[in-house]
């Protein structure tokens, strides 16, 4: 979060100057935070900011208050929700909620939240932070977040095949329909036909939680990233049963299965001669990762096929910009579709829901926010008119979901 | 229809004939046919066998080339349906052939092998004697020169290939079976013996087979075999397919003409998904690498189980909620109703295991096993449905050794298919699930002949053949009667307690995404040692469909359906209560020798064990009707060479009947035509009702309801049946 923030001094309807806006996506394994920060002390380049603001201001609808700043993204493990609460508290993020417009005198502060945890932990937030969680539907948030990113953020989507990352040019006018596959603890597959127009068509319980849960049991890794890291050095052939293992090293050419195709994940582990301790954690991790990625890729493709969708966007915290994961998913989609469908990934993969929840502030009658892009760095066209939120990616293009998005927020 | 006579003695006139045509007496026919093949032809070939049989020749053997072939025409499944590995009788098989086909997969080796009855000649001689003594000729009854046999279904773990080789070697299966000396000329034996095999191992282990057994493996394509096996089983076996939803098993009658297209999902180590459009017409459209090998592989690593079955059994007592993350866990116990997910839907398999607080050893192996099983079954169901949808297929058949008749596995798969298809597609399972490939390889010995196969020729019988181990071999194969008896003495308790049937699970209350815990827990999964369910498929070419049946396809010969639990309990009680008396009779019929006593004892053990098994799972051998139970008893008797427990009594009665026959005929001759006709009909009717031998008839008799019928036709006779009714009545 070392990005520049831009602040304009336009007054907000909120009285405090340090107001931030926060939205949460509280999933089964992870809590994702998106918050908007106006100027704060950590921002280092006031001059640049100011000049940017000026240029921005000139382009913007002057009648509206403009807030410069950036969207920050953060995540916590759901099991460590107290850390998250503390973080919010220390950053005073919870003060940036909105007040109930029907009862303006009320001090009740609402924070937008989605994910199952928005229900489960509502009381906890009330107790610890004295805020109410305004629950937004999970799927709606995912879709809103994805639509926003795909339309507004330059080079948000990319393909990844054979180690080659390639940014996809998405024409915002030709975005729909697409399949959105959100891989969190579990997996949701959503057919998206437009803004707010979508249907959850499928899903699978073999998701990120399965990878991490099984991985923890099998490898003693301490966290998800460590497990993922391990898979880099692993060789799944030690533990997976390949077509070649069954066919004595030959392909099963008749039905197009090469000797290296996995016939059965963990199929070699049935051997009596080896116990868990005899397998390298690296190999286990690799094998797990392939099993789950491949399965998700396959089910996604079958659902895309069902609805004649050519584009499949994969998101969710499971991926984490991990090359091998993306590669496996891409290969699965490519293999099953015989090259007809394409897997694409989102750089903000993990934050769709949180972002969607954040966008939903817009709908509120009070303190509504409009996020606008900062045009100077990545001047993407503002052609996505009608969408009130514009923004551009700031700096990095490595697909790491933890970066910030510079943006401008318009108070209404 | 004298459908239920387990005791085909019947003193009068046409009974012997009837016996031979009677649906329930087909065993006798098999044997008779067999005898011709075995007893008299022994080492000679089929030309003799087919001597008396004209119409058999037509569809029996079309030999091509020099390769030995099986004659599968008029193959028959025996008895009722059986569990997962029934045996098939091939009465027309007459050649010296390889009797073995293999499907060598990544985890398991599946064997289908052909064996023949050992004790048929004795049977035949006795029958003959009876006939001779009674002076009854065969009349126009065709004497089928058919060779009988059975298809056995056995499995080994691929890692224990040597056990498999030992088994083959000990049974001499690669040389045409253990009794090959009967009929297989020395010369032809295995110089260039070829065994049909499929599965990856057919390639991998070909050299080993050559080296150890001196046989060549003739490799058949795996998918070809799967499809051939499935098509054969679906067409040939009456109760091959069934649905399994929420603990409820229901057999499905498949119309041959409306079988295709369907989706075949074979779950082995991995999963193949095949669209089948006809015989030999198919395409592998998909598959998944998350299959049986994954379950067992991950299960082994996570639980220290020593066998697949152990792991599966553990799952019976598991609760996956301790380890899976449910929608309710995420939503604080609430449903996510907007998208139709109930709180109990699994959001993430193993998702709770991410908790820092628990390590592997803190989770119960039972829970892990169940969680794994649900994950994999559900995933397979889902992918299968998506593929069915793609091709507009309504029927999905699941086979492969992963399932093992395990109720929860089937429920999970069915649930997934039902859930995702919103009830439009249906998951069905195959009783010979694990042996599709092996059966297909077996069929490939001869690609024709199957077309002639009619369902009514195939009768599935209760699994009498050794070994009594549910398809898995423990110890040496049971070669002869003596070994069989020893085995029974050793492993099966006499008078196995027969408890009340396990009640069917009540229809589960599964919410939208529900499906909480196994609704079919029970003891439905059996360890190998106790599962007496090696099935037998017998071919009875003599059977024809009664031409006047209005709807032959839907005709159900069982008039008493034991799926009614009260009915089932009643008949089980009757049969087991009757057992000691029956054993006494049987032993007496064999002269009451020590040997007979020992056999009688073994019979009692075996039959009790069968009953106990059926009590536990009435549908274990397919849809269970009363006729099947009676047949089971008969077959069980024959298994221990009690060819006719009531033989001496029948003999006596027949003699008595014959003695009074002239008088009766004379009397009939003196009647006017109308009276005579009526009397004849009454007589036949009376005999036929009596033939049932059921308590109901005895009751009728006692109440005098049918006494009038008897009176007319029998009052001049000695009424030989009067003293017998208690013996046959239940």
């Amino acid at each position: 979060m070392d990005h520049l923030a831009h602040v304009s001094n336009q007054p907000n309807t909120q009285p405090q100057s340090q107001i931030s806006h926060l939205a949460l996506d509280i999933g089964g394994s992870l809590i994702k935070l998106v918050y908007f920060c106006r100027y704060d002390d950590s921002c280092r380049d006031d001059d640049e900011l100011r000049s940017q603001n000026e240029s921005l201001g000139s382009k913007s609808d002057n009648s509206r208050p403009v807030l410069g700043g950036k969207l920050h993204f953060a995540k916590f493990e759901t099991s460590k929700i107290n850390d998250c609460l503390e973080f919010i508290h220390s950053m005073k993020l919870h003060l940036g909620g909105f007040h109930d417009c029907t009862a303006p005198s009320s001090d009740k502060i609402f924070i937008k939240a989605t994910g199952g945890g928005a229900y489960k932990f509502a009381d906890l937030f009330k107790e610890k932070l004295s805020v109410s969680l305004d629950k937004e539907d999970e799927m709606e948030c995912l879709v809103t977040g994805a639509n926003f990113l795909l339309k507004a953020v330059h080079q948000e989507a990319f393909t990844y095949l054979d180690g080659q990352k390639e940014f996809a040019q998405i024409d915002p006018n030709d975005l729909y329909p697409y399949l959105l596959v959100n891989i969190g603890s579990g997996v949701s597959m959503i057919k998206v036909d437009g803004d707010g127009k979508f249907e959850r068509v499928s899903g699978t319980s073999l998701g990120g939680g399965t990878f991490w849960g099984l991985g923890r049991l099998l490898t003693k890794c301490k966290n998800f990233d460590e497990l993922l890291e391990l898979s880099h050095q692993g060789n799944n052939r030690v533990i997976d049963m390949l077509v070649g293992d069954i066919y004595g090293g030959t392909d099963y050419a008749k039905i197009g299965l090469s000797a290296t195709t996995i016939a059965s994940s963990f199929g070699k582990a049935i051997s009596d001669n080896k116990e868990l301790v005899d397998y390298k954690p690296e190999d286990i991790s690799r094998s797990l990762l392939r099993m789950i990625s491949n399965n998700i890729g396959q089910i996604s493709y079958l659902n895309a096929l069902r609805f004649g969708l050519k584009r499949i966007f994969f998101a969710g915290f499971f991926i984490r910009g991990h090359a091998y994961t993306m590669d496996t998913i891409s290969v699965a989609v490519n293999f099953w579709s015989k090259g007809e469908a394409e897997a694409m990934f989102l750089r903000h993969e993990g934050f769709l829901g949180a972002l969607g929840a954040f966008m939903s502030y817009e709908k509120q009658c009070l303190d509504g926010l409009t996020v606008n892009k900062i045009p100077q760095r990545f001047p993407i066209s503002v052609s996505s008119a009608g969408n009130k939120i514009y923004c551009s990616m700031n700096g990095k293009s490595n697909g790491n979901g933890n970066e910030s998005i510079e943006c401008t927020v318009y108070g209404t | 229809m004298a459908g239920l006579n387990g005791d085909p003695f019947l003193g009068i006139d046409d009974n012997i004939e009837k016996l031979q045509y009677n649906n329930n007496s087909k065993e006798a026919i098999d044997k008779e046919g067999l005898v011709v093949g075995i007893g008299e032809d022994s080492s000679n070939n089929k030309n003799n066998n087919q001597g008396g049989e004209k119409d058999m020749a037509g569809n029996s053997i079309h030999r091509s080339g020099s390769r030995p072939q099986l004659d599968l025409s008029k193959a028959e499944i025996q008895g009722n349906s059986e569990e997962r590995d029934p045996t098939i009788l091939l009465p027309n098989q007459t050649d010296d052939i390889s009797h073995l086909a293999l499907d060598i997969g990544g985890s398991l080796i599946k064997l289908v092998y052909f064996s023949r009855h050992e004790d048929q000649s004795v049977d035949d001689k006795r029958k003959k004697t009876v006939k001779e003594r009674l002076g009854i000729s065969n009349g126009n009854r065709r004497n089928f020169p058919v060779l009988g046999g059975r298809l056995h279904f056995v499995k080994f773990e691929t890692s224990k290939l040597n056990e498999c080789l030992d088994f083959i070697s000990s049974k001499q299966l690669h040389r045409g079976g253990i009794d090959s000396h009967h009929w297989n000329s020395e010369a032809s034996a295995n110089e260039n013996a070829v065994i049909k095999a499929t599965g990856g191992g057919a390639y991998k282990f070909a050299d080993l087979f050559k080296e150890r057994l001196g046989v060549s493996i003739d490799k058949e394509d795996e998918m070809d075999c799967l499809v051939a096996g499935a098509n054969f089983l679906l067409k040939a076996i009456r109760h091959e397919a069934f649905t399994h939803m929420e603990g409820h098993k229901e057999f499905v009658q498949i119309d041959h003409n409306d079988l295709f297209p369907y989706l075949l999902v074979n779950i082995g180590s991995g999963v193949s998904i095949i669209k089948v459009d006809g015989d030999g017409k198919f395409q592998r459209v998909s598959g998944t690498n998350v299959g049986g090998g994954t379950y067992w592989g991950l299960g082994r690593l996570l639980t220290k189980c020593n066998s697949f079955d152990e792991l599966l059994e553990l799952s019976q007592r598991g609760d996956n909620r301790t380890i899976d993350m449910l929608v309710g866990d995420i939503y604080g116990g609430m449903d996510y109703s907007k998208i139709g997910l109930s709180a109990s839907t699994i959001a993430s398999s193993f998702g709770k295991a991410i908790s820092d607080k628990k390590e592997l050893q803190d989770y119960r192996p039972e829970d892990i096993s169940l969680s794994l099983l649900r994950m994999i079954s559900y995933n397979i169901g889902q992918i299968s449905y998506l593929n069915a949808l793609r091709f507009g297929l309504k029927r999905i058949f699941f086979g492969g050794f992963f399932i093992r008749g395990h109720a929860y596995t089937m429920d999970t798969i069915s649930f997934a298919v039902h859930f995702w298809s919103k009830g439009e597609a249906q998951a069905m399972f195959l009783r010979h699930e694990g042996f599709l490939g092996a059966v297909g390889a077996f069929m490939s010995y001869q690609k024709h002949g199957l077309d002639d196969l009619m369902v009514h020729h195939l009768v599935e019988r209760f699994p009498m053949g050794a070994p009594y181990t549910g398809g898995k071999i423990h110890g040496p194969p049971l070669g002869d009667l003596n070994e069989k008896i020893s085995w029974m003495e050793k492993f099966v308790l006499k008078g196995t307690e027969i408890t009340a049937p396990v009640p069917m699970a009540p229809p589960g209350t599964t919410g939208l995404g529900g499906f909480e815990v196994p609704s079919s827990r029970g003891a439905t999964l059996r360890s190998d040692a106790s599962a007496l369910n090696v099935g037998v498929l017998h071919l009875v070419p003599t059977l024809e469909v009664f031409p006047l049946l209005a709807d032959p396809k839907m005709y159900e010969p069982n008039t008493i359906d034991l799926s009614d639990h009260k009915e089932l309990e009643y008949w089980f009680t009757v049969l087991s209560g009757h057992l000691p008396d029956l054993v006494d009779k049987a032993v007496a019929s064999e002269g009451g020798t020590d040997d007979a006593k020992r056999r009688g004892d073994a019979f009692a053990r075996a039959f009790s064990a069968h009953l106990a098994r059926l009590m536990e799972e009435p549908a274990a051998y397919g849809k269970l009707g009363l006729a099947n139970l009676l047949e089971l008893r008969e077959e069980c008797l024959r298994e221990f060479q009690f060819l006719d427990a009531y033989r001496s009594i029948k003999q006596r009665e027949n003699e008595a009947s014959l003695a009074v026959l002239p008088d009766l005929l004379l009397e009939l001759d003196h009647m006017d035509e109308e009276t005579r006709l009526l009397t004849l009909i009454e007589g036949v009717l009376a005999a036929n009702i009596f033939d049932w031998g059921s308590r109901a008839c005895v009751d009728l008799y006692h109440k005098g309801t049918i006494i009038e019928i008897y009176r007319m036709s029998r009052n001049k006779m000695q009424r030989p049946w009067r003293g017998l009714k208690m013996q046959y009545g239940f």
Side-chain angles (χ1 to χ4, degrees), chain A residues 211 215 218-221 226-240 266 276-290 322 324:
Chain A
F211 176 64
L218 291 165
T219 68
K220 316 277 178 227
C221 275
E226 185 188 341
L227 181 67
L228 207 50
E229 201 54 46
L230 273 186
S231 73
H232 277 295
Q233 295 109 48
N235 177 6
N236 71 299
R237 293 180 196 195
V238 176
I239 198 161
D240 286 344
F266 286 86
L276 181 52
V277 292
D278 300 322
Y279 293 98
K280 284 168 62 191
E282 291 86 347
D283 299 340
I284 290 175
S285 174
R286 180 84 157 201
S287 188
L288 256 186
L289 183 62
R290 279 199 71 164
H322 190 261
Y324 192 64

Side-chain angles (χ1 to χ4, degrees), chain A residues 214 218 265-267 269-270 284 288 291, chain B residues 293-303 311 350 368 372 375-376:
Chain A
L214 273 173
L218 291 165
S265 288
F266 286 86
I270 65 169
I284 290 175
L288 256 186
M291 174 177 97
Chain B
T294 312
Y295 176 61
W296 175 211
L298 273 173
R300 247 194 99 253
L301 295 182
L302 291 166
T303 67
L311 182 66
F350 286 87
I368 291 176
L372 259 185
M375 172 178 98
I376 292 170

Side-chain angles (χ1 to χ4, degrees), chain A residues 26-29 77 79-80 114-121 137-140 184-189 198-214 216-218 220 222 239-241 244-248 250 252 254-255 257 262-277 279 284 288 290-291 294-295 298-299 301-303 305-306 336 338, chain B residues 104-107 157 159-160 199-205 221-224 268-273 282-298 300-302 304 306 323 325 327-334 336 338-339 341 346-361 363 368 372 375-376 378-379 382-383 385-387 389-390 420 422:
Chain A
I26 313 176
S29 323
E77 287 183 32
S79 58
K80 295 169 181 161
T114 186
Y119 296 82
K120 190 174 180 181
F121 298 113
D137 178 72
E138 189 169 351
M139 297 301 140
E140 229 160 81
S185 300
V187 182
S188 281
M189 295 173 191
F198 64 90
E199 184 192 357
R200 183 186 192 270
V201 292
S202 198
T204 165
S205 69
L206 277 92
T210 314
F211 176 64
W212 175 214
L214 273 173
R216 249 194 97 255
L217 297 181
L218 291 165
K220 316 277 178 227
K222 288 285 169 267
I239 198 161
D240 286 344
M241 186 184 287
D245 292 326
I246 303 176
Y247 277 80
T250 62
Y252 187 3
K254 188 177 170 187
I255 54 173
L257 296 177
I262 300 174
S264 174
S265 288
F266 286 86
K268 267 190 200 143
I270 65 169
S271 155
D272 279 348
N273 307 324
K274 286 171 108 178
E275 300 301 321
L276 181 52
V277 292
Y279 293 98
I284 290 175
L288 256 186
R290 279 199 71 164
M291 174 177 97
N294 186 52
N295 195 63
Q298 181 178 12
I299 294 180
Y301 160 68
L302 285 168
N303 278 292
L305 183 70
R306 207 176 138 188
W336 291 111
K338 299 191 173 72
Chain B
I104 313 177
S107 328
E157 288 183 29
S159 58
K160 293 169 184 162
Y203 296 80
K204 192 173 179 181
F205 299 115
D221 178 74
E222 192 167 350
M223 299 298 141
D224 282 345
S269 300
V271 181
S272 281
I273 299 177
F282 64 90
Q283 186 193 358
R284 183 185 191 273
V285 292
S286 197
T288 162
N289 51 314
V290 187
T294 312
Y295 176 61
W296 175 211
L298 273 173
R300 247 194 99 253
L301 295 182
L302 291 166
K304 316 271 176 235
N306 289 315
I323 199 160
M325 185 185 288
V327 167
D329 292 326
I330 303 177
Y331 276 78
M334 294 167 50
Y336 185 3
K338 187 174 172 189
I339 54 175
L341 296 178
I346 299 177
S348 174
S349 293
F350 286 87
K352 266 191 200 145
I354 65 171
S355 155
D356 279 347
K357 294 179 192 106
K358 286 171 108 179
E359 300 301 320
L360 179 53
Q361 59 271 18
Y363 293 97
I368 291 176
L372 259 185
M375 172 178 98
I376 292 170
Y378 195 84
N379 196 60
Q382 182 178 11
I383 293 179
Y385 160 68
L386 285 168
N387 277 291
L389 184 70
R390 215 175 131 188
W420 290 111
K422 299 189 172 74

Side-chain angles (χ1 to χ4, degrees), chain A residues 58-237:
Chain A
S58 65
K59 281 187 162 188
S60 304
D61 179 349
N62 287 326
S63 67
R64 305 169 84 189
V66 176
L67 297 173
K70 14 175 230 186
L71 281 178
H72 292 275
F73 300 89
K75 65 174 195 283
F76 295 86
E77 287 183 32
T78 306
S79 58
K80 295 169 181 161
I81 189 163
N82 283 328
D83 292 354
C84 173
L85 291 169
E86 211 156 282
F87 175 79
I88 294 172
H89 190 257
S90 69
M91 300 279 288
K92 296 189 165 45
L93 297 174
H94 57 297
L95 302 176
F98 64 93
H99 295 269
D100 188 346
C101 59
T102 59
S105 59
S106 161
D107 285 340
K108 212 172 173 187
I109 300 174
F110 287 91
I111 291 178
K112 290 288 186 186
T114 186
Y119 296 82
K120 190 174 180 181
F121 298 113
D123 291 347
L124 191 65
F125 274 82
K126 188 79 197 166
E127 183 193 315
K128 290 278 179 80
L129 300 175
S130 305
V131 295
S132 300
L133 296 183
D134 189 33
K135 300 165 197 75
E136 290 290 324
D137 178 72
E138 189 169 351
M139 297 301 140
E140 229 160 81
C141 287
L142 281 176
V143 171
T144 307
N147 283 347
F148 164 68
L149 288 167
L150 286 167
K151 285 183 182 171
V153 179
H154 184 57
Q155 296 193 329
E156 174 65 21
F158 59 94
T159 58
Y160 198 99
L161 202 53
D162 301 326
Q164 293 297 312
K165 181 176 188 172
E166 205 167 296
F167 285 103
Q169 294 303 327
I170 306 285
D171 178 353
N173 297 317
D174 189 25
L175 175 60
Y176 309 112
Y178 67 87
L179 190 71
L180 176 63
V181 181
N182 191 63
I183 316 175
S185 300
V187 182
S188 281
M189 295 173 191
I190 306 163
K191 175 172 169 268
V192 182
D193 292 309
D195 277 327
K197 283 169 62 186
F198 64 90
E199 184 192 357
R200 183 186 192 270
V201 292
S202 198
T204 165
S205 69
L206 277 92
T210 314
F211 176 64
W212 175 214
L214 273 173
R216 249 194 97 255
L217 297 181
L218 291 165
T219 68
K220 316 277 178 227
C221 275
K222 288 285 169 267
N223 64 55
F224 191 106
D225 292 313
E226 185 188 341
L227 181 67
L228 207 50
E229 201 54 46
L230 273 186
S231 73
H232 277 295
Q233 295 109 48
N235 177 6
N236 71 299
R237 293 180 196 195

Side-chain angles (χ1 to χ4, degrees), chain A residues 386-403:
Chain A
N387 186 338
K388 289 186 287 177
I389 301 163
Y390 308 114
C391 96
S392 80
M393 285 305 305
N394 183 352
K396 293 192 228 168
S397 55
N398 63 357
N400 183 339
N402 263 343
E403 58 200 293

Side-chain angles (χ1 to χ4, degrees), chain B residues 44-106:
Chain B
N44 228 319
N45 65 26
K46 74 271 173 184
N47 294 330
N48 288 343
N49 300 343
Q50 302 203 316
E53 186 42 30
K54 314 149 224 129
D55 42 305
M56 289 305 298
N59 57 7
S60 57
I61 300 166
H62 311 269
R63 291 194 168 76
S64 62
S66 56
R67 180 172 299 164
Q69 291 174 328
L70 269 189
D71 183 2
L72 290 170
S73 61
K74 309 234 168 173
E76 184 191 3
I77 312 154
Q78 274 203 316
N80 197 350
S81 353
E82 283 134 68
E83 190 129 346
R84 310 190 276 279
D85 7 5
T87 305
I88 303 173
L89 177 64
L90 302 171
N92 293 352
Q93 176 49 47
T94 55
D95 209 341
D96 47 352
I97 48 136
S98 275
H99 280 69
L100 171 68
L102 297 160
D103 175 4
I104 313 177

